[in-house]
Amino acid sequence: MADAFPELAPPLRILMGPGPSDVHPRVLRAMSTPLVGHLDPEFLKLTDATMELLRRVFQTRNRLTLPVSGTGSAGMEAAFCNSVEPGDNVLVCVAGLFGERMCDVAARCGAKVARVDVEWGRVVEPEQVAAALKAHPAKVVAIVHAETSTGAWQPLEEIARIVHDHGALFLVDAVTSLGGVPVEVDRLGIDVCYSGTQKCLSCPPGLAPITLSDRAVEVIHRRKTKVQSWYLDMSMVERYWGQERLYHHTAPITAIYGLYEGLRLVHEEGLEARWARHQRNGDALHVGLMAMGLELGAQQGHRLPVLTSVLLPQGVDDAALRRDLLTRYNLELGGGLGQLKGKAWRIGLMGHSSSETNVLYALSAIERALREVGVVIPEGVGIQHACARLEMG
Ligand SMILES: *Cc1c(COP(=O)(O)O)cnc(C)c1O
């Protein structure tokens, strides 16, 4: 039966889509080390260190800061199902697919959902949130920091102030931003913030770091109804991650090894240096793509360095071209989502994938592939502009 079930031999791809990103060899090595029990004193030390490293990357002193078992969407579920009780009013800012997903999740928690909608690619303006809160007072206001479907980078500071003036909890999706651009949980007073491991933290998918402010924890402890998800009930989960070390569900040990090593890499590089690296490489990619005559999807001035949405020239076959890039160059880019399906690409420069090498490689592969299908691009123009931008530092 050896023929029917060949040995696992995944190709070595360059992961420049919307996640997962390339995983550092040190993380992969950590994940091949021996298991210990999830209540082993050595493992408990590791969970404490992981929580401390997570606080640093979230820039918070929140006690309740831990990785939820599950991908980024489990973080989203945990954020909503703990902070929302049936009948609560929730205001969701929708600027793309992940804002839409928040509405769905909140509604499934029994929330009465009001929304602020903006055109995909644009960011939500503070005045819109203020007006919406005046019309629909809410217990929780939710927003996506880095909208991975559009490449837009949502400013949070003024909106945070408005939300707190209204006495609401501020809930932020930092799945694509954490570890790539600053996520300032304490300075902005974000009450509930979650992320995922496979984007700018460059670990495999499977964990969702989350942090809750004391205010959020108080709201959870004052709930009149039980959290409808047993698995994601933070008041139970925290008893394993806290002093009691009470069994709730078996911690995904190997995934936590990987996250710990990934966070150590973040710590060694330093947050400031890491943000600067992502910004520099993102800027170079943007400049290079625009020099090739391509249009970026996100609003100018609010473009993420970690995820770039670029519109395809008319008549280009999205799926065929991306398949070509994957098979000939081992280069994975993401397709458009929702209303941008078939019309845009999403190029990630996240974590370990954010390198000068990858910027130049992707620009040359894209140029070659587009020229081959007849798009007129002066030879090497993207690379030249990107290099000039990189040399500026
Ligand atoms: C990827 C992503 C998610 C969902 O994470 P999964 O790991 O795919 O479950 C949620 N929000 C944003 C902004 C994302 O980019």
Side-chain angles (χ1 to χ4, degrees):
M1 292 306 286
D3 298 346
F5 303 106
E7 189 183 347
L8 181 66
L12 279 174
R13 304 289 199 212
I14 296 162
L15 298 178
M16 293 182 66
S21 57
D22 281 333
V23 176
H24 195 285
R26 265 175 54 187
V27 172
L28 293 176
R29 221 176 302 140
M31 296 183 77
S32 63
T33 56
L35 280 199
V36 293
H38 65 111
L39 294 169
D40 188 298
E42 288 304 316
F43 187 69
L44 296 179
K45 270 194 243 167
L46 190 73
T47 60
D48 283 338
T50 303
M51 286 192 281
E52 186 48 37
L53 286 167
L54 277 180
R55 288 186 192 102
R56 292 182 189 196
V57 59
F58 272 123
Q59 301 185 81
T60 184
R61 301 178 67 165
N62 287 341
R63 181 184 55 82
L64 195 49
T65 304
L66 55 84
V68 169
S69 308
T71 65
S73 304
M76 189 187 284
E77 296 257 18
F80 282 99
C81 75
N82 284 279
S83 60
V84 173
E85 292 190 65
D88 283 345
N89 292 305
V90 173
L91 179 68
V92 182
C93 300
V94 183
L97 182 102
F98 292 101
E100 283 292 348
R101 185 175 297 180
M102 281 178 151
C103 294
D104 191 357
V105 171
R108 286 166 192 247
C109 296
K112 291 191 205 129
V113 178
R115 348 178 355 144
V116 172
D117 277 284
V118 295
E119 202 186 316
W120 281 39
R122 302 194 69 81
V123 297
V124 176
E125 298 298 335
E127 304 76 52
Q128 295 176 286
V129 177
L133 274 175
K134 219 165 160 197
H136 311 275
K139 175 186 177 190
V140 175
V141 177
I143 199 162
V144 177
H145 189 205
E147 183 46 85
T148 321
S149 57
T150 68
W153 186 354
Q154 174 67 51
L156 298 177
E157 186 154 0
E158 279 182 64
I159 294 177
R161 201 171 314 121
I162 291 163
V163 171
H164 290 137
D165 287 349
H166 281 262
L169 291 177
F170 193 34
L171 188 160
V172 173
D173 175 314
V175 175
T176 284
S177 50
L178 192 73
V181 302
V183 175
E184 302 176 282
V185 168
D186 282 3
R187 194 179 75 77
L188 301 186
I190 299 171
D191 294 292
V192 183
C193 190
Y194 61 88
S195 188
T197 43
Q198 80 274 26
K199 313 241 173 153
C200 292
L201 296 175
S202 265
C203 295
L207 291 173
I210 191 168
T211 186
L212 293 108
S213 71
D214 291 345
R215 224 153 61 94
V217 171
E218 216 174 284
V219 166
I220 291 170
H221 286 165
R222 279 204 315 261
R223 287 178 65 105
K224 294 189 193 72
T225 57
K226 275 191 175 179
V227 172
Q228 88 279 9
S229 166
W230 180 89
Y231 197 71
L232 297 173
D233 183 337
M234 294 302 290
S235 64
M236 293 163 82
V237 171
E238 74 169 328
R239 295 176 72 184
Y240 168 72
W241 287 86
Q243 293 306 309
E244 277 179 86
R245 298 300 185 173
L246 191 71
Y247 166 69
H248 175 252
H249 65 273
T250 309
I253 294 148
T254 302
I256 292 168
Y257 287 172
L259 175 59
Y260 174 69
E261 193 60 19
L263 291 169
R264 257 166 43 86
L265 285 161
V266 175
H267 181 61
E268 280 171 26
E269 180 174 14
L271 281 177
E272 304 272 345
R274 192 175 177 90
W275 299 328
R277 168 167 63 87
H278 282 90
Q279 189 66 55
R280 179 165 22 86
N281 293 328
D283 286 346
L285 179 69
H286 294 172
V287 165
L289 291 169
M290 288 190 290
M292 284 159 67
L294 300 173
E295 200 184 321
L296 303 187
Q299 185 179 346
Q300 199 180 356
H302 297 287
R303 290 175 181 151
L304 284 165
V306 298
L307 192 284
T308 302
S309 158
V310 58
L311 306 182
L312 288 178
Q314 288 283 326
V316 167
D317 181 345
D318 160 46
L321 227 64
R322 273 190 298 121
R323 201 176 322 114
D324 190 41
L325 290 172
L326 188 69
T327 52
R328 280 166 75 200
Y329 301 100
N330 271 316
L331 178 62
E332 180 180 272
L333 304 183
L337 281 180
Q339 34 183 278
L340 292 172
K341 191 167 162 42
K343 296 185 187 144
W345 283 347
R346 291 178 304 144
I347 309 176
L349 284 170
M350 301 180 184
H352 193 47
S353 292
S354 174
S355 65
E356 290 190 14
T357 318
N358 280 356
V359 170
L360 302 181
Y361 186 70
L363 285 172
S364 39
I366 291 169
E367 178 191 309
R368 186 143 186 249
L370 288 176
R371 281 166 61 100
E372 279 173 2
V373 296
V375 180
V376 180
I377 301 170
E379 208 168 339
V381 71
I383 297 276
Q384 280 166 28
H385 282 75
C387 284
R389 185 67 191 75
L390 287 168
E391 273 145 33
M392 282 164 58

